[in-house]
Amino acid sequence: KILVGWLILVLIMTFSGGIWKYYSTFVSMGGCIYAPIVAVFLADFFLVRRQRFSLRGAYRLENTYEYTRGFNFVALTSILLGCIVYFLIFDPVGYTARSPLLFITTATGASFLTAGICYYLLSKIPGCRKYMKINITE
């Protein structure tokens, strides 16, 4: 669903010519969205699940990665917080800094760190661990 939404947006911007007019904003929005997603992915694989991956779960032979209607709300919360931090630090439409933190971490770096740390910390809460289907004794 998310990929279809992005596809439609890219097609509209490409054929309307808007992608060239707002190219820097378009690229900045990619940093806003993709950095937190990658951070959650890396935190989940390396820190939370400790490099254990269920191939059977990936092919839906087990419900290892089944969440609420296909959405992992712990991950989405972390990604949303990462995006909020991005917008607090940088305005991608006006292309201006909103915080001096931009010159230290960049907005993309700060959103990456926020999302990854948030996901890791949420994974330590017993209720979130149960929702994420992580063994409580790990």
Side-chain angles (χ1 to χ4, degrees), residues 6-16:
W6 274 110
L7 173 66
I8 291 169
L9 175 65
V10 169
L11 287 175
I12 290 170
M13 289 188 71
T14 300
F15 290 112
S16 71

Side-chain angles (χ1 to χ4, degrees), residues 70-115:
F71 292 98
N72 179 342
F73 287 114
V74 174
L76 288 176
T77 300
S78 302
I79 292 167
L80 179 64
L81 287 174
C83 290
I84 289 169
V85 165
Y86 184 94
F87 284 111
L88 289 174
I89 294 173
F90 181 67
D91 173 15
V93 177
Y95 226 67
T96 57
R98 292 185 172 158
S99 167
L101 190 59
L102 175 73
F103 304 106
I104 299 169
T105 64
T106 73
T108 304
S111 69
F112 178 91
L113 290 172
T114 301

Side-chain angles (χ1 to χ4, degrees), residues 25-51:
T25 301
F26 180 72
V27 171
S28 296
M29 292 302 293
C32 167
I33 294 166
Y34 293 121
I37 291 172
V38 170
V40 166
F41 174 77
L42 292 174
D44 184 62
F45 183 72
F46 287 107
L47 302 175
V48 175
R49 299 188 192 274
R50 297 188 182 114
Q51 300 182 26

Side-chain angles (χ1 to χ4, degrees), residues 48 74 118-126 128-129 132 134:
V48 175
V74 174
C118 177
Y119 187 78
Y120 177 73
L121 292 176
L122 286 173
S123 76
K124 296 297 180 186
I125 299 171
C128 291
R129 288 183 75 76
M132 295 164 69
I134 300 168

